[in-house]
Amino acid sequence: QKEVEQNSGPLSVPEGAIASLNCTYSDRGSQSFFWYRQYSGKSPELIMSIYSNGDKEDGRFTAQLNKASQYVSLLIRDSQPSDSATYLCAVNGASYDKVIFGPGTSLSVIP
Amino acid sequence: EPEVTQTPSHQVTQMGQEVILRCVPISNHLYFYWYRQILGQKVEFLVSFYNNEISEKSEIFDDQFSVERPDGSNFTLKIRSTKLEDSAMYFCASSVGLAVYNEQFFGPGTRLTVL
């Protein structure tokens, strides 16, 4: 069974701090990795995708991928209260047909 | 900005009834998906659809489920005989193409409540 694991949290950070969210996956054949943000009662919103080892930056967000360690992370710089949400790590399997989601990490940014 | 739309936003039905959930994917996208999320649980893949046929389905997607693209814009999920445990948020998603760069964009969801 292919799995995607995340710490469920809640992770609390003060406003302006860096939030660090982590994810591990079990399928070594995975090649596509995504971070979605989900506000309570809403649908997942794609915020980052990463396909190669290393870092990818987009505004305040940085995704990091280490395929050897089967590890993906998301850093949120200058965290804002509006960043408070559940962050879902998602991974494509070898078939690419589906995205397997982790259980999500709940982030709370304290003003 | 183009987006996936879904109707209805909330559907209440009696156990054993049939429901059809509707989605309009982003217009230039070729791949379509249904996911569900039971309250408090993770998002689960149900089915993917390309070129008018199912390309992959999960073990959740049993004989009571079916999908269809009845015209050039709509993509539907039918649940033939609903069960209490089918109560969940159902999300439609679409992507431009398969392969590695397969970013999937989600609609707002339909909350299905089975009584």
Side-chain angles (χ1 to χ4, degrees), chain A residues 40-79:
Chain A
S40 180
K42 302 296 186 182
S43 63
E45 174 192 6
L46 180 66
I47 53 173
M48 289 287 288
S49 56
I50 186 167
Y51 309 103
S52 305
N53 281 328
D55 295 358
K56 179 182 177 183
E57 186 174 319
D58 183 1
R60 295 186 296 111
F61 299 99
T62 298
Q64 299 173 315
L65 174 61
N66 183 327
K67 290 184 180 179
S69 301
Q70 294 175 247
Y71 176 85
V72 194
S73 67
L74 179 71
L75 300 178
I76 306 174
R77 289 181 300 281
D78 188 24
S79 296

Side-chain angles (χ1 to χ4, degrees), chain A:
Chain A
Q1 176 74 356
K2 299 178 176 61
E3 298 281 346
V4 178
E5 301 290 342
Q6 298 178 254
N7 291 329
S8 60
L11 173 66
S12 292
V13 299
E15 184 175 355
I18 296 175
S20 177
L21 305 161
N22 305 315
C23 170
T24 59
Y25 60 95
S26 64
D27 184 2
R28 283 198 171 274
S30 299
Q31 297 190 47
S32 310
F33 307 88
F34 309 94
W35 284 99
Y36 285 83
R37 177 174 62 199
Q38 187 175 33
Y39 292 111
S40 180
K42 302 296 186 182
S43 63
E45 174 192 6
L46 180 66
I47 53 173
M48 289 287 288
S49 56
I50 186 167
Y51 309 103
S52 305
N53 281 328
D55 295 358
K56 179 182 177 183
E57 186 174 319
D58 183 1
R60 295 186 296 111
F61 299 99
T62 298
Q64 299 173 315
L65 174 61
N66 183 327
K67 290 184 180 179
S69 301
Q70 294 175 247
Y71 176 85
V72 194
S73 67
L74 179 71
L75 300 178
I76 306 174
R77 289 181 300 281
D78 188 24
S79 296
Q80 301 297 308
S82 58
D83 295 326
S84 298
T86 298
Y87 289 80
L88 310 178
C89 174
V91 176
N92 265 7
S95 69
Y96 308 124
D97 270 20
K98 65 184 181 184
V99 167
I100 302 167
F101 283 85
T105 298
S106 174
L107 172 66
S108 178
V109 181
I110 311 301

